[in-house]
Amino acid sequence: MRLILTLLCRNEIDIIESMIRFHLGHGVDFIVAMDNASNDGTRDCLQQFVQSGKLLLIDQPELTHDQGIWVTAMARMATEELAADWLIHSDADEFWWPLNGDLKATLQAVPPDVQALTVGRTNFLPPPQDSCLEGSELGGFHQLQLLRERHSLNSLGQPLPGKICHRALPGISISDGNHGAAVAGQALGALETTEIEILHFPVRSLAQFSAKISHGAQALANNPSLSPQVGATWRQVYREHVLGGTIGTYYDNLCLTPLERTRMLEEGSLLHDSRLHNWLAGPLPSAVFAAAVTTGQPSPLVAVITPYYEESLDLLWQCHRSVLDQDFPCLHVLVADGKPQAALDAWQAHHVVLPKAHGDVGSTPRLIGSYHAIGLGVEAVAFLDADNWLHPGHISGLMRARAASGAAFLSSSRMLCRLDGSVMGRCPLIDPERFIDTSCMLFAKEAFPLLHHWVLMPDYGHPISDRIMFHHVRESGIKCHHLDEPSVFYRCGKPGLYWDMGEDPPAGVSARPDYETIFQSWIADGNPPL
């Protein structure tokens, strides 16, 4: 059975990645997405999943809200060209939650004489204005929206209508709103199901809601063929509150007061529901990673490059596990610098073996691993030393920052850890004007021409290769963006950082390199101070 989801979206950057990742992790095989002239980074996010071979992207520039026509076109394409067996038609703010197993297993169990299902929706309350995340933390809606209505109503006070999913049928037509389907003018009989429910997040911040109403109402007005009843709520809210200047008050009323929330929780009309948050905040399911890496299409959008030499298998596994646990599909490229570990051949990674050690603190393996990944089609390369590890949101944070800023070089801060892995605290040395650690760097494709500096730097410079690489980044003039989040865990193997943190170095740290002589040699070669 092949399950395809259709998706029509416009300016949904705060939720779109989570929505796609969720459905690919719950049994959807492929997504047909239509982007309706987004200008907030949504299309770039969709393109990431095109690279993984899991999504077909269609551009729709017309701002006329012809939802029924557009979704019908996607449904017929999925049926006639993409071999769908079942179709789900979803909006970007909907999460189709299977109560048992995954969506594919649930639909496979539907009796053969049932052609379609109607799936109920319930809304999550929007977060109060003073709790909304800043723009730099896109995608965090699920952290703030944990209260769900037991029964949701539409603007007329009637039960919120469900959405349809159905078997793939030639000549299918989908109604506006994805509430029904027909073949040759005859409506499909849809069975109401309780095996799937739709978790609905239509209002996620004042800015998102105001933009949604404004764009939607204007698109509706651009299409005189639509009945005035289509989008009646959008039209009314736009007319009375956006144009009337009271959209903030309207939003606050949707949020409810703390007393109203408490009362409704006590009476049971509101429920605390953290299922989606728990799923999105957890490790990336291996099925999603495997689907992204093992398709015949190019590798995932981002590769994480790890050189290794004589590190223990335990350290390598902790490093690799942190890449697997990223909430953004990544390809992990582990490069053995002359001393390969055979166990890595069985890991969900690409294991590149160099026949001889280069003695340059990982610089040559970094470049070779980078070029291997670039040749496979990735559009960004990050680095992670073998004894370090990442927070699950490290890569997604950097890629969201790239989408928002257009930067070609992205960086994060780091957390310093002792040899035993315990945390000392935030690194005081990271400075986006002077110093970025290698494991905190991400080079997007516009910065790929700088990667050759890993091997072209002077031999004496490899112990400070991160400083030299960052020097070349700054000198190149490419756009940089720093996220001041310590999403890299850096195991301190030399004494200096312990002294910086006010601690005595433990047994087992390496001797401090002669940094002073290295810096002097760099300046003597005619370079500026680092």
Side-chain angles (χ1 to χ4, degrees):
M1 174 187 160
R2 182 165 167 81
L3 174 59
I4 293 181
L5 180 145
T6 70
L7 170 64
L8 174 63
C9 56
R10 181 184 181 192
N11 287 350
E12 302 279 8
I13 189 59
D14 65 316
I15 198 170
I16 189 69
E17 180 189 326
S18 296
M19 184 271 186
I20 293 175
R21 183 162 60 85
F22 171 85
H23 288 97
L24 291 178
H26 282 81
V28 169
D29 294 303
F30 193 78
I31 294 173
V32 179
M34 182 177 289
D35 180 72
N36 190 201
S38 294
N39 58 12
D40 67 341
T42 294
R43 190 186 183 284
D44 291 337
C45 184
L46 295 171
Q47 186 65 39
Q48 296 166 10
F49 290 94
V50 173
Q51 295 287 340
S52 73
K54 303 300 290 183
L55 185 145
L56 173 68
L57 177 56
I58 303 168
D59 287 309
Q60 175 50 259
E62 299 297 325
L63 302 178
T64 53
H65 195 78
D66 279 313
Q67 183 180 19
I69 295 172
W70 297 340
V71 176
T72 292
M74 289 191 285
R76 293 181 179 181
M77 176 185 290
T79 298
E80 298 164 11
E81 302 177 26
L82 301 175
D85 294 300
W86 271 89
L87 287 165
I88 289 173
H89 305 296
S90 185
D91 294 338
D93 55 12
E94 295 171 345
F95 293 77
W96 294 57
W97 188 277
L99 299 190
N100 297 288
D102 63 16
L103 292 166
K104 181 184 290 189
T106 300
L107 295 175
Q108 281 179 320
V110 174
D113 60 333
V114 175
Q115 293 183 315
L117 298 176
T118 295
V119 181
R121 294 182 293 163
T122 48
N123 294 336
F124 280 71
L125 290 192
Q129 290 191 53
D130 59 4
S131 69
C132 290
L133 298 179
E134 296 297 326
S136 62
E137 298 178 276
L138 294 173
F141 70 97
H142 57 87
Q143 302 174 42
L144 299 175
Q145 294 184 256
L146 300 173
L147 296 181
R148 178 175 60 83
E149 297 170 342
R150 183 181 292 274
H151 303 289
S152 294
L153 305 178
N154 64 13
S155 59
L156 302 176
Q158 301 170 340
L160 192 67
K163 295 296 184 84
I164 196 166
C165 61
H166 59 86
R167 297 186 189 276
L169 299 168
I172 193 77
S173 295
I174 308 302
S175 66
D176 194 85
N178 301 335
H179 301 302
V183 175
Q186 296 296 314
L188 290 185
L191 180 69
E192 291 188 12
T193 182
T194 58
E195 294 299 312
I196 305 171
E197 60 179 310
I198 298 174
L199 309 182
H200 193 207
F201 296 82
V203 184
R204 302 180 295 279
S205 71
L206 174 58
Q208 170 267 330
F209 179 61
S210 181
K212 174 180 179 178
I213 293 297
S214 298
H215 292 154
Q218 291 165 11
L220 290 165
N222 291 340
N223 192 340
S225 67
L226 293 175
S227 164
Q229 298 307 311
V230 175
T233 299
W234 286 3
R235 299 175 197 261
Q236 179 183 1
V237 174
Y238 179 71
R239 183 175 61 250
E240 296 181 3
H241 298 288
V242 175
L243 297 182
T246 58
I247 190 64
T249 301
Y250 184 88
Y251 179 89
D252 290 339
N253 290 336
L254 294 177
C255 296
L256 305 180
T257 66
L259 286 177
E260 288 172 324
R261 291 181 176 223
T262 299
R263 174 181 57 79
M264 294 174 69
L265 283 167
E266 291 176 348
E267 69 186 22
S269 55
L270 269 186
L271 304 171
H272 187 277
D273 189 339
S274 62
R275 288 175 294 173
L276 184 66
H277 169 66
N278 293 340
W279 193 90
L280 291 173
L284 181 70
S286 59
V288 178
F289 177 89
V293 174
T294 61
T295 63
Q297 301 295 322
S299 300
L301 190 68
V302 179
V304 178
I305 313 300
T306 297
Y308 76 93
Y309 179 55
E310 291 184 329
E311 288 82 3
S312 71
L313 200 58
D314 287 343
L315 286 184
L316 289 171
W317 175 249
Q318 182 182 30
C319 169
H320 177 57
R321 180 71 253 180
S322 77
V323 177
L324 290 185
D325 287 346
Q326 290 301 294
D327 59 11
F328 189 102
C330 298
L331 169 65
H332 197 189
V333 180
L334 292 134
V335 185
D337 195 19
K339 293 197 174 183
Q341 296 252 26
L344 275 62
D345 291 333
W347 292 3
Q348 287 181 316
H350 287 192
H351 187 201
V352 177
V353 176
L354 305 183
K356 183 178 179 180
H358 294 78
D360 56 7
V361 202
S363 293
T364 296
R366 288 188 191 98
L367 182 65
I368 291 175
S370 297
Y371 282 175
H372 167 73
I374 292 168
L376 294 175
V378 304
E379 296 194 4
V381 170
F383 299 98
L384 179 62
D385 287 350
D387 55 354
N388 296 343
W389 65 99
L390 302 175
H391 181 278
H394 174 73
I395 295 296
S396 63
L398 294 177
M399 291 303 287
R400 290 188 188 103
R402 168 165 166 74
S405 68
F409 177 84
L410 292 301
S411 59
S412 73
S413 294
R414 65 180 180 179
M415 194 70 73
L416 299 181
C417 302
R418 303 176 183 88
L419 285 180
D420 63 4
S422 58
V423 173
M424 284 194 288
R426 191 185 184 106
C427 178
L429 302 183
I430 295 292
D431 180 348
E433 300 296 323
R434 294 184 59 85
F435 171 66
I436 299 295
D437 180 72
T438 298
S439 293
C440 299
M441 296 178 177
L442 182 143
F443 289 74
K445 59 183 178 181
E446 300 90 341
F448 286 170
L450 299 175
L451 293 171
H452 67 275
H453 289 294
W454 283 120
V455 299
L456 295 184
M457 68 180 65
D459 288 343
Y460 64 75
H462 292 295
I464 59 166
S465 59
D466 45 13
R467 291 182 180 272
I468 293 176
M469 286 299 296
F470 191 50
H471 159 76
H472 289 299
V473 167
R474 301 276 294 172
E475 287 288 303
S476 73
I478 63 172
K479 187 173 183 179
C480 302
H481 185 90
H482 181 69
L483 279 182
D484 192 22
E485 294 291 335
S487 53
V488 173
F489 293 87
Y490 179 88
R491 195 185 307 269
C492 299
K494 297 182 178 66
L497 289 172
Y498 291 95
W499 295 328
D500 290 336
M501 299 300 287
E503 294 192 13
D504 293 328
V509 298
S510 303
R512 181 181 183 273
D514 185 0
Y515 291 122
E516 289 76 17
T517 298
I518 297 173
F519 288 130
Q520 290 169 7
S521 298
W522 174 259
I523 294 172
D525 281 347
N527 298 301
L530 294 174

